[in-house]
């Protein structure tokens, strides 16, 4: 039996529009206008126990909504989900003890108290036995290197330190399913890597089932072998992450800042100009050509600053959609031609 099984899960929100003016707000009391937002539209997937799956997609795709449904925070409009045999929105206590949701954009710890106090509260809520609690807490504190910080009010911690505390709180009761919604958002590269390393180690050791959403390819590459891509509430791709990584690593972006106020002419000879904001420009260049293109650029122009970056994950995913739809169109047109030929 898979750990997570989702069938035709659908969530629509009604968003009420405020009309302008006093008269409108009075009549609005009687006839409120609303629009329907289809956040998740008939999503289906299965995740086996011990799998770590990336949930990718642009802003507003429906990732957080899906995780909220799986956590039982909201009710679906239609469809079904089973997590460890539980229906999440029934909110059974037995289910609450088996999963955790971590949201990078939300603080779940007491802001004015040391993290230690929030951990103690968790111990009570989840009725964790005292010995077990102490052992787990020690283990997690060591793994996340926060020994000196647990007695400091959470509001005094850096974003990266706070996120590590959030992870401890989420894992104290040893959940079997961990839902991570952008756990590294806003973190610097070092903190980001710490969180990745911890998650990798922890998952390998405990074999828990994880869904991870992130806008950073680095997180996903470090942790997941499978990626589910969601866009406009629908699943567009579900398969090995390698499919996406290959595409992702074909090109890199060179950012340049030129010494003058203008951009020099002929930049497109070095790569695809994807942004031109004098005196800055960005070029997309095939990965293997980066060294020679950089050398040529530095020799040809007066450059003040230069950087090489990965392409944004969103862009690669968007490309995947368009290439799939164009492949589909191609397929359709060939069948069309064939049927014409056959008819003759
Ligand atoms: N409580 C709500 N009320 C109304 N609309 C909502 C609500 N929550 C989400 N939505 C809408 O549902 C859609 C999906 O939102 P969701 O938060 O799931 O996206 P996401 O994939 O997590 O995006 P992001 O990458 O920006 O976090 C969006 O159009 C959003 O505006
Ligand atoms: Mg989100």
């Amino acid at each position: 039996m898979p750990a997570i099984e989702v069938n035709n899960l659908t969530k629509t929100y009604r968003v009420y529009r405020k009309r302008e003016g006093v008269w409108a707000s009075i009549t609005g009391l009687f006839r409120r206008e609303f629009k329907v937002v289809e956040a998740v539209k008939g999503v289906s997937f299965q995740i086996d126990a011990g799998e770590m799956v990336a949930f990718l997609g642009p802003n507003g795709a429906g990732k957080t909504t899906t995780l909220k449904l799986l956590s039982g925070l909201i009710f679906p409009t239609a469809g079904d989900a089973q997590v460890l045999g539980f229906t999440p929105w029934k909110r059974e206590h037995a289910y609450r003890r088996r999963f955790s949701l971590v949201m990078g954009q939300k603080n779940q710890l007491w802001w004015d108290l040391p993290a230690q106090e929030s951990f103690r509260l968790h111990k009570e809520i989840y009725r964790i036995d005292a010995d077990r609690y102490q052992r787990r807490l020690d283990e997690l504190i060591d793994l996340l290197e926060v020994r000196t910080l647990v007695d400091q009010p959470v509001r005094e911690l850096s974003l990266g330190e706070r996120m590590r505390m959030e992870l401890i709180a989420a894992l104290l009761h040893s959940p079997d399913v961990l839902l991570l919604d952008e756990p590294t958002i806003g973190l610097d590269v070092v903190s980001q890597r710490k969180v990745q390393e911890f998650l990798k180690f922890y998952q390998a050791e405990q074999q828990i089932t994880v869904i991870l959403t992130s806008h950073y390819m680095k997180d996903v590459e470090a942790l997941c072998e499978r990626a589910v891509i969601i866009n406009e509430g629908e699943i567009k791709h579900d398969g090995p992450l390698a499919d996406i990584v290959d595409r992702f690593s074909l090109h890199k972006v060179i950012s340049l800042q030129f010494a003058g106020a203008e951009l020099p002419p002929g930049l497109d000879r070095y790569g695809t100009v994807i942004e031109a904001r004098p005196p800055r420009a960005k070029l997309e260049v095939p990965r293997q050509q980066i060294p020679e293109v950089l050398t040529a650029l530095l020799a040809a122009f007066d450059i003040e600053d230069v950087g090489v970056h990965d392409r944004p994950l969103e862009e690669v995913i968007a490309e995947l959609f368009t290439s799939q739809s164009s492949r589909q169109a191609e397929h359709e047109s060939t069948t069309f031609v064939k049927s014409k030929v056959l008819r003759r």
Side-chain angles (χ1 to χ4, degrees):
M1 197 183 73
I4 301 176
E5 192 165 4
V6 173
N7 283 311
N8 261 313
L9 200 58
T10 299
K11 177 71 188 181
T12 53
Y13 287 108
R14 277 183 168 204
V15 182
Y16 289 94
R17 286 195 191 138
K18 261 222 175 107
R19 280 192 274 166
E20 279 170 33
V22 177
W23 182 242
S25 18
I26 296 168
T27 52
L29 287 175
F30 305 100
R31 201 168 42 115
R32 292 219 277 173
E33 279 181 10
F34 63 86
K35 67 171 180 176
V36 171
V37 178
E38 296 182 286
V40 174
K41 296 189 262 191
V43 158
S44 302
F45 59 87
Q46 293 192 349
I47 296 178
D48 284 332
E51 249 192 302
M52 200 161 185
V53 176
F55 226 57
L56 310 177
N59 291 125
K63 304 179 296 291
T64 300
T65 305
T66 306
L67 295 188
K68 282 183 178 171
L69 286 163
L70 295 181
S71 310
L73 288 176
I74 53 174
F75 288 87
T77 312
D80 185 45
Q82 295 282 311
V83 184
L84 305 166
F86 294 95
T87 304
W89 44 92
K90 284 190 183 160
R91 301 181 182 169
E92 289 162 86
H93 194 67
Y95 177 51
R96 261 208 279 162
R97 294 168 63 109
R98 302 277 306 274
F99 85 98
S100 255
L101 169 68
V102 176
M103 300 177 110
Q105 319 225 44
K106 266 212 176 120
N107 186 14
Q108 309 192 60
L109 304 167
W110 289 78
W111 194 241
D112 291 312
L113 296 180
Q116 188 85 269
E117 298 300 317
S118 293
F119 299 157
R120 257 184 226 136
L121 187 71
H122 267 68
K123 170 179 174 288
E124 299 309 321
I125 292 174
Y126 292 102
R127 298 193 200 118
I128 311 168
D129 149 283
D131 280 351
R132 193 181 153 72
Y133 167 78
Q134 204 49 57
R135 237 184 309 122
R136 272 203 73 72
L137 184 59
D138 276 339
E139 212 175 87
L140 291 166
I141 283 177
D142 284 343
L143 278 172
L144 285 159
E145 301 167 27
V146 289
R147 174 82 49 200
T148 57
L149 302 169
V150 286
D151 296 315
Q152 212 166 313
V154 168
R155 73 180 133 74
E156 290 173 8
L157 302 179
S158 75
L159 196 60
E161 291 163 351
R162 185 174 64 69
M163 184 39 66
R164 284 184 264 157
M165 298 300 185
E166 296 272 352
L167 285 169
I168 295 182
L171 296 170
L172 272 175
H173 63 286
S174 316
D176 298 305
V177 167
L178 182 61
L179 307 172
L180 297 167
D181 196 12
E182 305 195 38
T184 61
I185 192 155
L187 303 191
D188 63 73
V189 180
V190 177
S191 298
Q192 206 174 325
R193 200 170 302 141
K194 267 199 178 131
V195 169
Q196 286 163 7
E197 279 167 6
F198 167 76
L199 289 171
K200 198 179 174 70
F201 174 83
Y202 187 88
Q203 199 278 338
E205 197 175 58
Q206 308 275 322
Q207 289 296 302
I208 57 171
T209 310
V210 181
I211 299 183
L212 166 80
T213 84
S214 179
H215 286 282
Y216 304 118
M217 191 61 177
K218 288 255 156 36
D219 285 350
V220 176
E221 260 187 303
L223 298 169
C224 305
E225 278 169 20
R226 174 179 161 201
V228 174
I229 296 179
I230 182 167
N231 189 32
E232 293 174 353
E234 294 178 70
I235 289 182
K236 304 287 177 181
H237 176 93
D238 181 350
L241 184 68
D243 294 358
I244 302 163
V245 174
D246 288 349
R247 216 168 246 284
F248 186 75
S249 48
L250 285 179
H251 293 85
K252 275 185 180 277
V253 175
I254 300 180
S255 320
L256 299 157
Q257 186 181 337
F258 295 93
E262 301 287 313
L263 291 181
L267 271 182
D268 50 1
R269 274 183 288 131
Y270 298 85
T272 314
V273 181
I274 53 168
E275 203 180 296
R277 275 196 234 167
R280 297 193 177 85
K282 285 185 179 169
L283 294 179
E284 199 171 279
V285 176
R287 190 172 42 111
Q288 311 91 308
Q289 291 171 24
I290 291 281
E292 54 184 291
V293 170
L294 269 180
T295 316
L297 281 166
L298 290 167
F301 306 112
D302 199 358
I303 291 170
E304 288 209 332
D305 197 10
V306 61
V308 179
H309 320 274
D310 286 326
R311 294 194 300 158
L313 184 53
E314 281 69 22
E315 194 184 296
V316 182
I317 289 171
E319 211 178 81
L320 202 71
F321 295 146
T322 42
S323 69
Q324 262 172 3
S325 50
S326 59
R327 234 181 283 145
Q328 182 72 23
E330 212 171 89
H331 175 73
E332 274 160 13
S333 66
T334 37
T335 40
F336 178 65
V337 172
K338 265 191 215 143
S339 60
K340 256 188 169 168
V341 173
L342 283 178
R343 235 178 278 140
R344 240 190 250 160

